Amino acid sequence: MNEIGDIENTLNWWREAGADVLVADEPRGWLKEPKADLTPVRPRPEPAAEAKPAKPVVIPEDLGELRRFLLETDDLPLPHGPRFDAEGDLSAGLMILLAMPETQEAEDKGLLPGDTGLLFDRMLAAIGRDRASVYLATLSPVRGPGGTLDDALVSQLGEIAKKHVGLAAPKRLIVMGNAPSRVFCGADLAEARTLEPIVNHNGGTVPVTATFHPRFLLQHPGFKAESWKDLQILIEGQTA
């Protein structure tokens, strides 16, 4: 066999052996098993489920039905626990609104029992009132876990509370604490105390006074003087 034939046979042998280049930058082990690719395979994310629209809440147009709705409805994502109705004299002309009941115990203890209730009674006495001569209600009929309410729930309950105030039609409204202040004054309590907004309802209006919740005053007695200033504004409004 001549020299050209030897070269051709050699090339054919390498070609059959799998050689596809004559030279390379790095030596290559042709007969070695290829290394496994250890890169983790990430599963494809499943498409997000479409959020179901919230069930529309129909707010009753009658005060008695609205109060019963708050005590019985399953249309609101309310926390579990005993539900409390509004208290006091609807015709008193003064409505006081809290965020929620003060206790998760039985309803017969009322909205503001214990030491918190005693301070509340003294606050009422300072403006010449008692529990029998005010209409006391809450945004939520049940106390939230840890004494808090979800913002989305507060928004829903706020619309119901505005309807509640409209149906009760008080001459003055006191809101105690942050959540009621945000609903009726559009601001947290610190700012709301510098305001005296007028809330429109059913063709009428009601001036709003924002002040501290009695529980907060028990925990921070230094603010009692500030609360007294808020109540003086209320007194001046009643005698004007």
Short mmCIF file of all heavy atoms in Angstrom, two decimals, residues 72-102:
data_model
loop_
_atom_site.label_atom_id
_atom_site.label_comp_id
_atom_site.label_asym_id
_atom_site.label_seq_id
_atom_site.Cartn_x
_atom_site.Cartn_y
_atom_site.Cartn_z
N GLU A 72 -75.22 38.39 63.43
CA GLU A 72 -75.53 37.08 62.87
C GLU A 72 -74.84 36.77 61.54
O GLU A 72 -74.75 35.60 61.16
CB GLU A 72 -77.05 36.95 62.66
CG GLU A 72 -77.85 37.07 63.95
CD GLU A 72 -79.36 37.09 63.69
OE1 GLU A 72 -79.76 37.08 62.50
OE2 GLU A 72 -80.13 37.13 64.67
N THR A 73 -74.34 37.77 60.82
CA THR A 73 -73.91 37.55 59.45
C THR A 73 -72.69 36.64 59.33
O THR A 73 -71.80 36.65 60.19
CB THR A 73 -73.59 38.89 58.75
OG1 THR A 73 -73.25 38.64 57.38
CG2 THR A 73 -72.40 39.58 59.42
N ASP A 74 -72.65 35.88 58.23
CA ASP A 74 -71.47 35.12 57.83
C ASP A 74 -70.83 35.74 56.59
O ASP A 74 -69.89 35.17 56.02
CB ASP A 74 -71.85 33.66 57.52
CG ASP A 74 -72.30 32.91 58.78
OD1 ASP A 74 -71.73 33.18 59.85
OD2 ASP A 74 -73.22 32.08 58.67
N ASP A 75 -71.33 36.90 56.16
CA ASP A 75 -70.83 37.54 54.95
C ASP A 75 -69.56 38.36 55.20
O ASP A 75 -68.97 38.88 54.25
CB ASP A 75 -71.90 38.46 54.35
CG ASP A 75 -73.09 37.68 53.81
OD1 ASP A 75 -72.93 36.46 53.59
OD2 ASP A 75 -74.16 38.28 53.62
N LEU A 76 -69.16 38.50 56.46
CA LEU A 76 -67.96 39.25 56.80
C LEU A 76 -66.93 38.30 57.42
O LEU A 76 -67.30 37.39 58.18
CB LEU A 76 -68.28 40.37 57.81
CG LEU A 76 -69.18 41.50 57.31
CD1 LEU A 76 -69.61 42.38 58.49
CD2 LEU A 76 -68.45 42.35 56.28
N PRO A 77 -65.64 38.50 57.13
CA PRO A 77 -64.59 37.62 57.71
C PRO A 77 -64.27 38.02 59.15
O PRO A 77 -63.14 38.35 59.49
CB PRO A 77 -63.40 37.86 56.78
CG PRO A 77 -63.57 39.26 56.30
CD PRO A 77 -65.05 39.48 56.17
N LEU A 78 -65.28 37.96 60.00
CA LEU A 78 -65.11 38.37 61.40
C LEU A 78 -64.36 37.28 62.18
O LEU A 78 -64.50 36.09 61.90
CB LEU A 78 -66.46 38.63 62.05
CG LEU A 78 -67.24 39.84 61.53
CD1 LEU A 78 -68.67 39.82 62.06
CD2 LEU A 78 -66.55 41.13 61.94
N PRO A 79 -63.56 37.69 63.19
CA PRO A 79 -62.91 36.69 64.05
C PRO A 79 -63.96 35.87 64.79
O PRO A 79 -65.11 36.27 64.93
CB PRO A 79 -62.08 37.55 65.02
CG PRO A 79 -61.98 38.89 64.37
CD PRO A 79 -63.23 39.07 63.56
N HIS A 80 -63.53 34.71 65.27
CA HIS A 80 -64.42 33.88 66.07
C HIS A 80 -64.50 34.44 67.49
O HIS A 80 -63.53 34.98 68.02
CB HIS A 80 -63.93 32.44 66.11
CG HIS A 80 -63.95 31.76 64.77
ND1 HIS A 80 -65.12 31.45 64.11
CD2 HIS A 80 -62.94 31.36 63.95
CE1 HIS A 80 -64.84 30.87 62.96
NE2 HIS A 80 -63.51 30.80 62.84
N GLY A 81 -65.65 34.30 68.11
CA GLY A 81 -65.83 34.78 69.47
C GLY A 81 -67.23 35.32 69.66
O GLY A 81 -67.99 35.47 68.71
N PRO A 82 -67.57 35.63 70.90
CA PRO A 82 -68.91 36.19 71.17
C PRO A 82 -69.06 37.56 70.51
O PRO A 82 -68.12 38.35 70.46
CB PRO A 82 -68.95 36.29 72.70
CG PRO A 82 -67.52 36.34 73.12
CD PRO A 82 -66.77 35.51 72.14
N ARG A 83 -70.24 37.83 70.00
CA ARG A 83 -70.53 39.12 69.37
C ARG A 83 -71.36 39.99 70.31
O ARG A 83 -72.23 39.49 71.02
CB ARG A 83 -71.26 38.91 68.03
CG ARG A 83 -70.43 38.13 67.02
CD ARG A 83 -71.07 38.13 65.65
NE ARG A 83 -70.36 37.26 64.72
CZ ARG A 83 -70.64 37.18 63.42
NH1 ARG A 83 -71.61 37.92 62.90
NH2 ARG A 83 -69.94 36.36 62.64
N PHE A 84 -71.07 41.27 70.28
CA PHE A 84 -71.70 42.21 71.20
C PHE A 84 -72.54 43.22 70.43
O PHE A 84 -72.10 43.76 69.41
CB PHE A 84 -70.64 42.96 72.00
CG PHE A 84 -69.86 42.10 72.96
CD1 PHE A 84 -68.90 41.20 72.50
CD2 PHE A 84 -70.07 42.20 74.33
CE1 PHE A 84 -68.18 40.42 73.38
CE2 PHE A 84 -69.35 41.41 75.23
CZ PHE A 84 -68.40 40.52 74.75
N ASP A 85 -73.73 43.49 70.93
CA ASP A 85 -74.61 44.47 70.33
C ASP A 85 -74.29 45.87 70.87
O ASP A 85 -73.59 46.02 71.88
CB ASP A 85 -76.07 44.11 70.65
CG ASP A 85 -77.07 44.88 69.80
OD1 ASP A 85 -76.65 45.56 68.84
OD2 ASP A 85 -78.28 44.81 70.12
N ALA A 86 -74.79 46.90 70.19
CA ALA A 86 -74.68 48.27 70.69
C ALA A 86 -75.47 48.39 72.00
O ALA A 86 -76.36 47.58 72.28
CB ALA A 86 -75.19 49.24 69.64
N GLU A 87 -75.14 49.41 72.79
CA GLU A 87 -75.77 49.59 74.10
C GLU A 87 -76.23 51.03 74.28
O GLU A 87 -75.73 51.94 73.60
CB GLU A 87 -74.76 49.28 75.22
CG GLU A 87 -74.15 47.90 75.16
CD GLU A 87 -73.05 47.71 76.21
OE1 GLU A 87 -72.74 48.69 76.93
OE2 GLU A 87 -72.50 46.61 76.31
N GLY A 88 -77.14 51.23 75.22
CA GLY A 88 -77.50 52.58 75.63
C GLY A 88 -78.75 53.12 74.97
O GLY A 88 -79.56 52.37 74.41
N ASP A 89 -78.89 54.45 75.03
CA ASP A 89 -80.10 55.14 74.60
C ASP A 89 -79.90 55.72 73.21
O ASP A 89 -79.12 56.66 73.02
CB ASP A 89 -80.43 56.24 75.61
CG ASP A 89 -81.73 56.97 75.27
OD1 ASP A 89 -82.40 56.58 74.31
OD2 ASP A 89 -82.05 57.94 75.97
N LEU A 90 -80.61 55.18 72.25
CA LEU A 90 -80.49 55.65 70.88
C LEU A 90 -80.92 57.11 70.73
O LEU A 90 -80.41 57.83 69.88
CB LEU A 90 -81.33 54.76 69.97
CG LEU A 90 -81.28 55.03 68.48
CD1 LEU A 90 -79.87 54.89 67.93
CD2 LEU A 90 -82.25 54.11 67.73
N SER A 91 -81.83 57.55 71.57
CA SER A 91 -82.35 58.92 71.47
C SER A 91 -81.53 59.93 72.26
O SER A 91 -81.90 61.10 72.35
CB SER A 91 -83.81 58.96 71.95
OG SER A 91 -83.88 58.64 73.34
N ALA A 92 -80.40 59.50 72.84
CA ALA A 92 -79.62 60.39 73.71
C ALA A 92 -78.97 61.53 72.94
O ALA A 92 -78.62 62.56 73.54
CB ALA A 92 -78.54 59.59 74.44
N GLY A 93 -78.76 61.38 71.65
CA GLY A 93 -78.14 62.44 70.86
C GLY A 93 -76.62 62.36 70.81
O GLY A 93 -75.99 63.06 70.02
N LEU A 94 -76.00 61.53 71.65
CA LEU A 94 -74.54 61.37 71.68
C LEU A 94 -74.21 59.91 71.41
O LEU A 94 -74.58 59.03 72.19
CB LEU A 94 -73.97 61.81 73.03
CG LEU A 94 -72.46 61.59 73.21
CD1 LEU A 94 -71.66 62.37 72.16
CD2 LEU A 94 -72.03 61.99 74.63
N MET A 95 -73.50 59.68 70.32
CA MET A 95 -73.07 58.32 69.98
C MET A 95 -71.57 58.21 70.18
O MET A 95 -70.81 59.12 69.81
CB MET A 95 -73.42 58.01 68.51
CG MET A 95 -73.06 56.59 68.07
SD MET A 95 -73.70 56.25 66.39
CE MET A 95 -73.13 54.57 66.14
N ILE A 96 -71.12 57.13 70.80
CA ILE A 96 -69.70 56.87 71.02
C ILE A 96 -69.34 55.58 70.30
O ILE A 96 -70.00 54.55 70.48
CB ILE A 96 -69.38 56.77 72.52
CG1 ILE A 96 -69.77 58.07 73.23
CG2 ILE A 96 -67.89 56.47 72.73
CD1 ILE A 96 -69.56 58.05 74.74
N LEU A 97 -68.29 55.65 69.50
CA LEU A 97 -67.91 54.50 68.69
C LEU A 97 -66.51 54.03 69.05
O LEU A 97 -65.55 54.80 69.02
CB LEU A 97 -67.97 54.85 67.20
CG LEU A 97 -67.83 53.67 66.24
CD1 LEU A 97 -69.09 52.83 66.24
CD2 LEU A 97 -67.54 54.16 64.83
N LEU A 98 -66.40 52.73 69.38
CA LEU A 98 -65.13 52.07 69.67
C LEU A 98 -64.77 51.16 68.50
O LEU A 98 -65.58 50.91 67.61
CB LEU A 98 -65.24 51.23 70.95
CG LEU A 98 -65.89 51.88 72.16
CD1 LEU A 98 -66.17 50.83 73.24
CD2 LEU A 98 -65.02 52.98 72.71
N ALA A 99 -63.54 50.64 68.51
CA ALA A 99 -63.14 49.72 67.44
C ALA A 99 -63.79 48.35 67.62
O ALA A 99 -64.25 47.74 66.66
CB ALA A 99 -61.62 49.57 67.41
N MET A 100 -63.85 47.86 68.87
CA MET A 100 -64.31 46.50 69.12
C MET A 100 -64.64 46.35 70.60
O MET A 100 -64.28 47.22 71.41
CB MET A 100 -63.20 45.50 68.73
CG MET A 100 -61.96 45.59 69.60
SD MET A 100 -60.57 44.60 68.99
CE MET A 100 -59.90 45.75 67.78
N PRO A 101 -65.30 45.27 70.98
CA PRO A 101 -65.53 45.03 72.41
C PRO A 101 -64.20 44.89 73.15
O PRO A 101 -63.17 44.57 72.56
CB PRO A 101 -66.31 43.71 72.42
CG PRO A 101 -66.90 43.59 71.06
CD PRO A 101 -65.93 44.24 70.13
N GLU A 102 -64.24 45.12 74.43
CA GLU A 102 -63.02 45.09 75.24
C GLU A 102 -62.66 43.69 75.69
O GLU A 102 -61.56 43.44 76.15
CB GLU A 102 -63.21 46.01 76.46
CG GLU A 102 -61.98 46.25 77.29
CD GLU A 102 -60.85 46.93 76.52
OE1 GLU A 102 -61.09 47.47 75.42
OE2 GLU A 102 -59.72 46.93 77.02
#
